[in-house]
Amino acid sequence: MNKVLLPTLLATAIAQAVVTPVIANEAPNVAQNATSSAPDGATIEHLVVSSDFRATSVDKLPASVTVIDQQRIEDQGAEHFEDMLNNIANFNWSGGSSRPKYFQIRGVGEQEEYKGAPNSSVGFIIDDIDLSGLGMVSSMYDLQQFEVLRGPQGTRYGANALAGLIYLKSNDPTETREHGMEVSLGDDNLRTISGFSSGPLSDKLLYRVAVQQHQQNGYIDNSYLNRDDTNQRDELSTRLKLRWFASDNLQVDTTVMFADFDNGYDAWTLDNNGETSLSDQPGKDSQKTTGASVKLTYDGFALAQLVSLTSFANSDHQYSFDGDWANPTYWASRDCDGAACEYNYFWDQSGKRQTLSQELRLSSKDAGKIFAGSTDWLVGVYLMDLSEDNDLYSEYNGYPDEVLVSQYDADNYAVFGQLDTVFRGGYKLSVGARIERRSSDYSDTNNDNFDPSETMWGGHIALTKSFSDTQEGYARIARGYKAGGFNMTLPATMSDKKEFDTEILYNYEIGLKSHWLDGTADSRISVFYMDRQHQQVAASLQNPADPQRFILFTENAGSSNNYGAEFEGNWYVSDSLQLYSSVGYLSAEYGDYQYNDAYGATVDLTGRDLAHSPHWTYSLGATWRSADGWFANLNGSGKSQFYYSDSNDSQSKPYSIVNAKVGYDADTWALYLWGRNLTDKQYGVRGFYFGNEPDQDWADKQYIRYGDPRQLGITLQLRFL
């Protein structure tokens, strides 16, 4: 069946099978949890941080966190997480893939992963399903909210959240029936069809299903193959959620997701034009994920609540590219030492990852508080098994080049606990700790074998002070950790770099969260200092003997210190106008770090900015709604320049982009016109600096991959009950 038709047929079938659709007299309530909308002059409601143990209000959580709800996602016309990234202060991503999957929070995070032993610094979770390092399958359709927690989450999430956490939460099933469909068309041959349906199946069982199919050509024209879709996006996202009230004391929430992102990858050009490619073997960047989570919440104990959280994910992924970025005809027309050049290189890696996790936690109710009723407590255990098989094959001038088959397994076991105490005078103290044991095993056909094991610990201490009903300040110290690891396929001359140590990060932070103007405005300010010890640095060296190859390895730098600040603000100026903004400042520099380049020369990065760490990130937006249904949103965002890599001094240029959406909402239907990157700004999202042109004697040169150019489109929404 054509995947373009699937969302329409599925949504229609569900609507007909469950209930005869009746056009609603008013728009459905699609977000069951707290939102930040404030219609008719109401004060701002408090968003709830779902990724926290106790689902705490964002204004009460003693940490720097961004929560963006469904209304703002829809106001900005976002279809994918990529469309919302610039709303987040001190957040960046590495654009070496068709969709973002490698993220940096406050300057900490991966830029790529080629070797098949995943070890993420930034956690990525969708509906309690762990997809860290595989974050490209992140559709924004029917999403209740997404959350970005900055700084180490040593108590809650452990080793995969050294820098922070990204958490996507979709809408829950509803007790009332509601259904909707959406169609978007745009230039670049964009076609997006979406549908959802929600309601009761019985008195005790609720359901929600959402489907989205997104397609577009990908902005690149391949002049050699005479095609305009070699960089295409073909993305299917489906989700089924069930809520079963098994008894008066037991609630079972089940989520099943399936995503099939079958994208092309043809984004690089020799002359950095960003529009027309010459490759004869366009690459792929695909991911097919089946995942599920089951959350059991038992309230039958008088003193405590028991939560069991089980999750599973199975992902097949492939990443390939035309490494010479051209074709045999092009290279034959070039002069290499008086003869026609011969350069034909293709790189292809496919993998299969499985994760299975189980968490049990017991948390106090009001009757179970300790220390004279002043202290909530929580204890838990966590188990995770991750396995990944990878098959790497590359070909150079008609002959196999790098060929490697590898198997990787990692087991994590953790115990954790947290105490939250209320004192007199408006003080609250939160103390948490986590002890985690990680064991891994790696082997490959190059006869590399590693089986490191280690015990790590992290946690936090946070003190909160309520200055008034509208202002609350906090001070927080958190310790995070990232497991050590190993480097495979290194030459014998680099045998001393086979393994690297655990990284430790101490985060010191103070913040102030406030409400203003009778609750119609709020602000959140945080200032932080991060002490990274045994910092893990990913390096790449072009092999002088085989210039098509790179030597990739991770090693420990002495240390680095990051510091900065974040600001977020919202203001409902009137019943019809909302303003929102964010600003991040970051200084992230190496401490004492030197390495040897491919020719043995010493490169000193001491005091240099870390890669993908812009000093400034910012966004500003406004949404206007009239009483009779007219709507407009205008938002802009940008960042200052940043280094593309830790292995060279190639830098991006600062940029700002502007988006807009206007339309009419008639409750039962809505029609919008929208535009992204309205000024058609050309901005870099990933860069390399190396030699890739044999006719230039492999001279080093900067190559840049650009973000999406201007795009215009139209969206029609239909809502049913």
Side-chain angles (χ1 to χ4, degrees), residues 636-688:
S637 60
K639 58 191 64 173
S640 59
Q641 68 185 33
F642 56 87
Y643 288 98
Y644 285 123
S645 172
D646 292 313
S647 298
N648 57 71
D649 289 333
S650 173
Q651 295 187 61
S652 72
K653 294 181 179 179
Y655 68 86
S656 297
I657 56 176
V658 179
N659 309 313
K661 180 180 176 183
V662 297
Y664 181 76
D665 188 339
D667 290 340
T668 60
W669 62 273
L671 185 66
Y672 302 104
L673 300 175
W674 49 264
R676 302 185 186 120
N677 192 5
L678 290 177
T679 62
D680 202 23
K681 179 70 174 179
Q682 190 178 66
Y683 60 98
V685 296
R686 185 70 172 131
F688 296 125

Side-chain angles (χ1 to χ4, degrees), residues 265 281-285 318-322 346-349:
Y265 189 59
Q281 297 176 287
K284 292 190 66 174
D285 186 20
Q318 181 182 8
Y319 181 70
S320 62
F321 54 86
D322 188 330
F346 187 74
W347 193 94
D348 184 9
Q349 182 183 48

Side-chain angles (χ1 to χ4, degrees), residues 72 76 87 577-582 619-623 633-636:
R72 184 162 153 194
Q76 294 189 199
N87 287 263
L577 179 62
Q578 179 195 5
L579 303 178
Y580 53 87
S581 64
S582 71
S619 67
L620 177 66
T623 298
N633 175 272
L634 180 67
N635 66 86

Side-chain angles (χ1 to χ4, degrees), residues 300-406:
F301 302 127
L303 303 181
Q305 180 187 78
L306 177 66
V307 173
S308 170
L309 184 56
T310 307
S311 71
F312 166 81
N314 186 355
S315 297
D316 295 312
H317 54 91
Q318 181 182 8
Y319 181 70
S320 62
F321 54 86
D322 188 330
D324 60 275
W325 300 347
N327 56 78
T329 302
Y330 173 87
W331 290 116
S333 69
R334 301 296 179 183
D335 186 307
C336 289
D337 297 327
C341 294
E342 181 184 9
Y343 184 25
N344 189 7
Y345 183 58
F346 187 74
W347 193 94
D348 184 9
Q349 182 183 48
S350 58
K352 183 180 184 66
R353 184 186 301 182
Q354 289 186 337
T355 58
L356 177 63
S357 67
Q358 174 64 54
E359 181 176 285
L360 289 170
R361 61 178 186 259
L362 195 65
S363 57
S364 61
K365 295 181 177 180
D366 287 343
K369 291 183 178 181
I370 58 177
F371 304 140
S374 66
T375 302
D376 279 307
W377 53 267
L378 179 144
V379 294
V381 297
Y382 173 81
L383 311 150
M384 185 184 76
D385 177 76
L386 181 151
S387 64
E388 178 160 315
D389 297 335
N390 278 274
D391 190 348
L392 168 62
Y393 177 82
S394 66
E395 193 171 278
Y396 179 58
N397 290 343
Y399 296 93
D401 189 43
E402 287 185 281
V403 179
L404 188 72
V405 178
S406 64

Side-chain angles (χ1 to χ4, degrees), residues 218-293:
Y219 307 109
I220 295 292
D221 291 323
N222 187 306
S223 61
Y224 180 75
L225 298 177
N226 195 27
R227 289 172 52 188
D228 62 1
D229 63 349
T230 54
N231 199 47
Q232 69 168 354
R233 294 167 180 167
D234 184 359
E235 302 169 343
L236 173 66
S237 302
T238 66
R239 184 186 305 112
L240 171 66
K241 300 186 80 168
L242 298 173
R243 174 164 289 176
W244 177 34
F245 301 101
S247 69
D248 291 342
N249 297 315
L250 179 61
Q251 177 177 310
V252 182
D253 289 288
T254 302
T255 301
V256 179
M257 67 169 289
F258 174 75
D260 185 3
F261 279 41
D262 188 18
N263 294 349
Y265 189 59
D266 190 19
W268 297 90
T269 59
L270 292 168
D271 61 357
N272 291 320
N273 70 79
E275 298 176 353
T276 304
S277 72
L278 298 171
S279 61
D280 63 317
Q281 297 176 287
K284 292 190 66 174
D285 186 20
S286 64
Q287 181 179 332
K288 183 182 293 184
T289 294
T290 302
S293 66

Side-chain angles (χ1 to χ4, degrees), residues 352-501:
K352 183 180 184 66
R353 184 186 301 182
Q354 289 186 337
T355 58
L356 177 63
S357 67
Q358 174 64 54
E359 181 176 285
L360 289 170
R361 61 178 186 259
L362 195 65
S363 57
S364 61
K365 295 181 177 180
D366 287 343
K369 291 183 178 181
I370 58 177
F371 304 140
S374 66
T375 302
D376 279 307
W377 53 267
L378 179 144
V379 294
V381 297
Y382 173 81
L383 311 150
M384 185 184 76
D385 177 76
L386 181 151
S387 64
E388 178 160 315
D389 297 335
N390 278 274
D391 190 348
L392 168 62
Y393 177 82
S394 66
E395 193 171 278
Y396 179 58
N397 290 343
Y399 296 93
D401 189 43
E402 287 185 281
V403 179
L404 188 72
V405 178
S406 64
Q407 295 84 38
Y408 176 74
D409 292 282
D411 295 310
N412 290 52
Y413 311 91
V415 295
F416 55 86
Q418 183 169 308
L419 297 175
D420 297 286
T421 303
V422 177
F423 296 98
R424 293 178 181 178
Y427 289 97
K428 290 180 287 186
L429 180 67
S430 177
V431 179
R434 185 185 188 99
I435 300 176
E436 186 165 348
R437 177 69 176 176
R438 178 186 177 97
S439 301
S440 59
D441 183 82
Y442 173 89
S443 62
D444 63 31
T445 52
N446 197 41
N447 295 320
D448 273 329
N449 296 277
F450 303 94
D451 57 352
S453 297
E454 58 185 314
T455 300
M456 302 164 287
W457 69 273
H460 74 274
I461 301 175
L463 180 65
T464 304
K465 166 64 175 175
S466 294
F467 299 110
S468 67
D469 292 339
T470 60
Q471 288 194 325
E472 187 162 291
Y474 71 89
R476 180 185 184 90
I477 301 174
R479 186 185 197 268
Y481 52 88
K482 181 182 179 183
F486 44 84
N487 295 305
M488 61 288 289
T489 65
L490 291 183
T493 55
M494 300 180 66
S495 59
D496 60 323
K497 298 186 183 297
K498 282 286 189 178
E499 299 189 34
F500 53 90
D501 295 331

